[in-house]
C-alpha cells in the first residue's frame, strides 16, 4: 500500500508530542514512521517537515513536502491547543506536562485497512 517506500510496507504511524514547562525544547514535535522506521520529522520551532530517509529527500518533489508541512503545522497547532485545554480543565497551570497524539494506519495481510488514534496526557 505504501508502494512509494516498499511493496512490503504494512504500517504507518505519526506521533505528535506537545510539552509545556520546558525551555530550550520545541513545544511540539512530530515523527512519522513506516514499519517502525522514522521517515520524517517536524517541530514547532522549524515548522517544516524534514525527510529522515535519503531516498525520500531525493525522490519526492518539493510540492509534496509543502503539503506535508502544511498538515504538520495544523496538527501541531491542534496538539498544542489540546495540551493547553487539558491543563486548564485539570487545573494544571504550571510544571512540566505532555500531550501525545498517535495516528496509525495498518494494511493487513488480507488487504483491509485498520486506522486508530490514541491520546495521552502526562503518561
Amino acid at each position: 500500500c505504501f508502494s512509494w517506500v516498499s511493496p512490503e510496507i504494512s504500517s504507518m504511524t505519526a506521533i505528535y508530542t506537545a510539552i509545556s514547562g520546558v525551555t530550550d525544547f520545541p513545544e511540539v514535535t512530530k515523527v512519522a514512521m513506516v514499519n517502525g522506521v522514522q521517515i520524517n520529522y517536524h517541530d514547532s520551532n522549524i515548522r517544516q517537515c524534514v525527510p529522515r530517509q535519503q531516498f525520500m529527500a531525493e525522490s519526492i518533489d518539493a510540492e509534496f513536502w509543502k503539503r506535508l508541512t502544511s498538515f504538520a503545522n495544523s496538527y501541531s497547532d491542534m496538539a498544542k491547543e489540546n495540551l493547553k485545554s487539558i491543563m486548564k480543565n485539570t487545573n494544571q497551570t504550571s510544571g512540566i506536562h505532555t500531550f501525545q497524539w498517535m495516528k496509525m494506519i495498518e494494511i493487513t495481510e488480507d488487504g483491509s485497512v485498520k486506522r486508530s488514534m490514541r491520546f495521552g496526557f502526562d503518561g
Side-chain angles (χ1 to χ4, degrees), residues 68-114:
L68 196 60
T69 292
S70 178
F71 287 125
N73 285 336
S74 294
Y75 287 126
S76 290
D77 292 345
M78 281 190 272
K80 182 178 168 181
E81 289 305 312
N82 283 332
L83 176 58
K84 287 180 182 179
S85 182
I86 292 168
M87 288 175 60
K88 180 181 175 185
N89 291 335
T90 58
N91 294 319
Q92 303 290 324
T93 58
S94 63
I96 298 173
H97 298 283
T98 60
F99 170 76
Q100 194 166 61
W101 178 12
M102 296 175 60
K103 300 177 354 173
M104 296 158 279
I105 184 169
E106 179 182 359
I107 310 302
T108 63
E109 288 183 14
D110 67 3
S112 61
V113 178
K114 292 182 179 180

Side-chain angles (χ1 to χ4, degrees), residues 2 7 10-11 14 45 47 49 53 66 82 89 94 96 98-99:
F2 302 105
S10 61
S11 70
N45 289 347
R47 295 194 62 82
C49 277
Q53 298 297 320
K66 285 180 187 176
N82 283 332
N89 291 335
S94 63
I96 298 173
T98 60
F99 170 76

Side-chain angles (χ1 to χ4, degrees), residues 56-69:
M56 292 185 76
E58 294 170 352
S59 63
I60 298 176
D61 69 5
E63 191 58 38
F64 171 84
W65 291 108
K66 285 180 187 176
R67 276 194 319 273
L68 196 60
T69 292

Side-chain angles (χ1 to χ4, degrees), residues 6 9 21 29-30 34 52 54 58 66 72 79-80 87 89 93 95 99 105 116-117 121 123:
S6 166
I9 299 302
T29 58
K30 174 245 177 188
V34 171
R52 290 295 196 218
Q54 188 63 35
E58 294 170 352
K66 285 180 187 176
K80 182 178 168 181
M87 288 175 60
N89 291 335
T93 58
F99 170 76
I105 184 169
S116 63
M117 273 195 225
F121 174 66

